[in-house]
Amino acid sequence: MGELLPSVLISEEQIRARVAELAADIERDHAAGEELLLVGVLRGSFIFLADLARALTMPRCIDFIALSSYENRTTSDGGVRLIMDVRVSVTNRHVLVVEDIVDSGHTLRYLMKAFTARRPASLRSCVLVRKPERLQVEVDVDYLGFDIPDRWVVGYGLDWANRYRALPYIGIVEPDGG
Ligand code: IMP
Ligand code: MG
């Protein structure tokens, strides 16, 4: 059985244009010559981060973190755990956390709290897509690609059971064909 091809929600062209706009917004908010540390959240952000990093022209470094989250989110941290940390110190650095998606908001909220404690020079977040209907906790997104409806989206780094990440657009999986 072949994989169903997800229907297009956000096209390659729309993503490319929006990434360029986000890069311009980010550059505008940082002083000339300031170095930015881009922190990608594995694994979903890897394609977005790759395109964003190349759309930027300011001095920039790249690092990654990995998190795990649990279904049981009754704990105060929303069930989020850091399983791989950045290799560099973020203290006194200008940090931009790059996330694929904000759903409940627990993951990004956890991250911003954890990084704030390390006293960066500045800390902002850049998120490809957000599902406003799903938000459970308040979390600031400084740079947002798109707000989307409450549907499971794949592609451009986003997965469904670790599949579809390499799809060039953001699509919706519709197992029932509808
Ligand atoms: P949170 O609920 O905001 O903490 O997001 C938890 C994680 O769920 C995200 O980082 C994604 O990895 C995953 N996720 C939530 N919604 C989707 C989706 O529609 N497609 C793919 N992954 C998703
Ligand atoms: Mg993620």
mmCIF file of all heavy atoms in Angstrom, residues 8-21 145-146 170:
data_model
loop_
_atom_site.group_PDB
_atom_site.id
_atom_site.type_symbol
_atom_site.label_atom_id
_atom_site.label_comp_id
_atom_site.label_asym_id
_atom_site.label_seq_id
_atom_site.Cartn_x
_atom_site.Cartn_y
_atom_site.Cartn_z
ATOM 1 N N VAL A 8 -2.659 19.805 0.037
ATOM 2 C CA VAL A 8 -1.860 20.998 0.314
ATOM 3 C C VAL A 8 -2.624 21.987 1.199
ATOM 4 O O VAL A 8 -3.736 22.395 0.869
ATOM 5 C CB VAL A 8 -1.442 21.706 -0.998
ATOM 6 C CG1 VAL A 8 -0.622 22.964 -0.689
ATOM 7 C CG2 VAL A 8 -0.641 20.765 -1.889
ATOM 8 N N LEU A 9 -2.023 22.352 2.323
ATOM 9 C CA LEU A 9 -2.569 23.432 3.154
ATOM 10 C C LEU A 9 -1.776 24.711 2.905
ATOM 11 O O LEU A 9 -2.355 25.777 2.699
ATOM 12 C CB LEU A 9 -2.518 23.051 4.636
ATOM 13 C CG LEU A 9 -3.031 24.112 5.602
ATOM 14 C CD1 LEU A 9 -4.542 24.321 5.434
ATOM 15 C CD2 LEU A 9 -2.711 23.750 7.050
ATOM 16 N N ILE A 10 -0.442 24.577 2.922
ATOM 17 C CA ILE A 10 0.430 25.727 2.643
ATOM 18 C C ILE A 10 1.457 25.266 1.609
ATOM 19 O O ILE A 10 2.188 24.304 1.839
ATOM 20 C CB ILE A 10 1.138 26.216 3.929
ATOM 21 C CG1 ILE A 10 0.109 26.521 5.030
ATOM 22 C CG2 ILE A 10 1.975 27.461 3.632
ATOM 23 C CD1 ILE A 10 0.712 26.762 6.403
ATOM 24 N N SER A 11 1.481 25.940 0.481
ATOM 25 C CA SER A 11 2.310 25.502 -0.639
ATOM 26 C C SER A 11 3.777 25.865 -0.425
ATOM 27 O O SER A 11 4.116 26.712 0.397
ATOM 28 C CB SER A 11 1.817 26.135 -1.938
ATOM 29 O OG SER A 11 2.118 27.525 -1.929
ATOM 30 N N GLU A 12 4.633 25.226 -1.224
ATOM 31 C CA GLU A 12 6.063 25.544 -1.210
ATOM 32 C C GLU A 12 6.311 27.028 -1.428
ATOM 33 O O GLU A 12 7.157 27.622 -0.769
ATOM 34 C CB GLU A 12 6.732 24.810 -2.385
ATOM 35 C CG GLU A 12 7.358 23.499 -2.051
ATOM 36 C CD GLU A 12 8.111 22.941 -3.250
ATOM 37 O OE1 GLU A 12 7.469 22.268 -4.077
ATOM 38 O OE2 GLU A 12 9.333 23.190 -3.358
ATOM 39 N N GLU A 13 5.584 27.600 -2.384
ATOM 40 C CA GLU A 13 5.775 29.011 -2.715
ATOM 41 C C GLU A 13 5.385 29.903 -1.546
ATOM 42 O O GLU A 13 6.051 30.886 -1.232
ATOM 43 C CB GLU A 13 4.942 29.395 -3.956
ATOM 44 C CG GLU A 13 5.412 28.763 -5.259
ATOM 45 C CD GLU A 13 5.174 27.245 -5.322
ATOM 46 O OE1 GLU A 13 4.235 26.732 -4.655
ATOM 47 O OE2 GLU A 13 5.934 26.564 -6.032
ATOM 48 N N GLN A 14 4.264 29.559 -0.891
ATOM 49 C CA GLN A 14 3.820 30.336 0.275
ATOM 50 C C GLN A 14 4.847 30.256 1.404
ATOM 51 O O GLN A 14 5.126 31.243 2.070
ATOM 52 C CB GLN A 14 2.472 29.817 0.783
ATOM 53 C CG GLN A 14 1.287 30.206 -0.072
ATOM 54 C CD GLN A 14 0.014 29.525 0.454
ATOM 55 O OE1 GLN A 14 -0.122 28.304 0.364
ATOM 56 N NE2 GLN A 14 -0.877 30.299 1.017
ATOM 57 N N ILE A 15 5.393 29.061 1.611
ATOM 58 C CA ILE A 15 6.393 28.888 2.667
ATOM 59 C C ILE A 15 7.637 29.709 2.345
ATOM 60 O O ILE A 15 8.151 30.441 3.204
ATOM 61 C CB ILE A 15 6.785 27.397 2.841
ATOM 62 C CG1 ILE A 15 5.581 26.577 3.327
ATOM 63 C CG2 ILE A 15 7.949 27.262 3.825
ATOM 64 C CD1 ILE A 15 5.790 25.068 3.281
ATOM 65 N N ARG A 16 8.107 29.619 1.106
ATOM 66 C CA ARG A 16 9.322 30.334 0.712
ATOM 67 C C ARG A 16 9.163 31.838 0.927
ATOM 68 O O ARG A 16 10.049 32.496 1.472
ATOM 69 C CB ARG A 16 9.659 30.046 -0.751
ATOM 70 C CG ARG A 16 11.090 30.403 -1.115
ATOM 71 C CD ARG A 16 11.417 30.082 -2.570
ATOM 72 N NE ARG A 16 11.166 28.694 -2.897
ATOM 73 C CZ ARG A 16 10.321 28.267 -3.840
ATOM 74 N NH1 ARG A 16 9.614 29.134 -4.550
ATOM 75 N NH2 ARG A 16 10.157 26.985 -4.066
ATOM 76 N N ALA A 17 8.009 32.362 0.516
ATOM 77 C CA ALA A 17 7.764 33.803 0.664
ATOM 78 C C ALA A 17 7.708 34.205 2.135
ATOM 79 O O ALA A 17 8.254 35.239 2.543
ATOM 80 C CB ALA A 17 6.458 34.180 -0.044
ATOM 81 N N ARG A 18 7.068 33.377 2.931
ATOM 82 C CA ARG A 18 6.914 33.707 4.366
ATOM 83 C C ARG A 18 8.257 33.617 5.101
ATOM 84 O O ARG A 18 8.534 34.445 5.973
ATOM 85 C CB ARG A 18 5.882 32.762 5.008
ATOM 86 C CG ARG A 18 5.450 33.177 6.383
ATOM 87 C CD ARG A 18 4.527 34.394 6.362
ATOM 88 N NE ARG A 18 4.327 34.897 7.720
ATOM 89 C CZ ARG A 18 4.788 36.050 8.178
ATOM 90 N NH1 ARG A 18 5.471 36.877 7.387
ATOM 91 N NH2 ARG A 18 4.576 36.419 9.419
ATOM 92 N N VAL A 19 9.074 32.631 4.745
ATOM 93 C CA VAL A 19 10.392 32.492 5.377
ATOM 94 C C VAL A 19 11.234 33.741 5.089
ATOM 95 O O VAL A 19 11.915 34.259 5.981
ATOM 96 C CB VAL A 19 11.106 31.202 4.902
ATOM 97 C CG1 VAL A 19 12.581 31.193 5.306
ATOM 98 C CG2 VAL A 19 10.412 29.971 5.480
ATOM 99 N N ALA A 20 11.146 34.254 3.866
ATOM 100 C CA ALA A 20 11.894 35.473 3.515
ATOM 101 C C ALA A 20 11.411 36.659 4.347
ATOM 102 O O ALA A 20 12.220 37.468 4.822
ATOM 103 C CB ALA A 20 11.737 35.767 2.026
ATOM 104 N N GLU A 21 10.092 36.744 4.545
ATOM 105 C CA GLU A 21 9.538 37.833 5.371
ATOM 106 C C GLU A 21 9.987 37.709 6.822
ATOM 107 O O GLU A 21 10.339 38.706 7.461
ATOM 108 C CB GLU A 21 8.003 37.819 5.314
ATOM 109 C CG GLU A 21 7.429 38.273 3.986
ATOM 110 C CD GLU A 21 5.896 38.075 3.909
ATOM 111 O OE1 GLU A 21 5.309 37.484 4.847
ATOM 112 O OE2 GLU A 21 5.325 38.514 2.906
ATOM 113 N N GLY A 145 5.050 31.988 11.361
ATOM 114 C CA GLY A 145 4.810 31.750 9.939
ATOM 115 C C GLY A 145 3.337 31.822 9.608
ATOM 116 O O GLY A 145 2.879 32.730 8.910
ATOM 117 N N PHE A 146 2.568 30.880 10.168
ATOM 118 C CA PHE A 146 1.146 30.788 9.826
ATOM 119 C C PHE A 146 0.324 30.278 11.009
ATOM 120 O O PHE A 146 0.765 29.387 11.724
ATOM 121 C CB PHE A 146 0.931 29.785 8.678
ATOM 122 C CG PHE A 146 1.750 30.033 7.451
ATOM 123 C CD1 PHE A 146 3.009 29.444 7.305
ATOM 124 C CD2 PHE A 146 1.273 30.842 6.429
ATOM 125 C CE1 PHE A 146 3.772 29.660 6.161
ATOM 126 C CE2 PHE A 146 2.024 31.067 5.281
ATOM 127 C CZ PHE A 146 3.280 30.473 5.150
ATOM 128 N N ILE A 170 3.347 21.974 3.305
ATOM 129 C CA ILE A 170 2.640 21.565 4.521
ATOM 130 C C ILE A 170 1.270 21.072 4.101
ATOM 131 O O ILE A 170 0.513 21.777 3.428
ATOM 132 C CB ILE A 170 2.530 22.726 5.530
ATOM 133 C CG1 ILE A 170 3.935 23.131 6.003
ATOM 134 C CG2 ILE A 170 1.661 22.328 6.731
ATOM 135 C CD1 ILE A 170 3.964 24.392 6.848
#
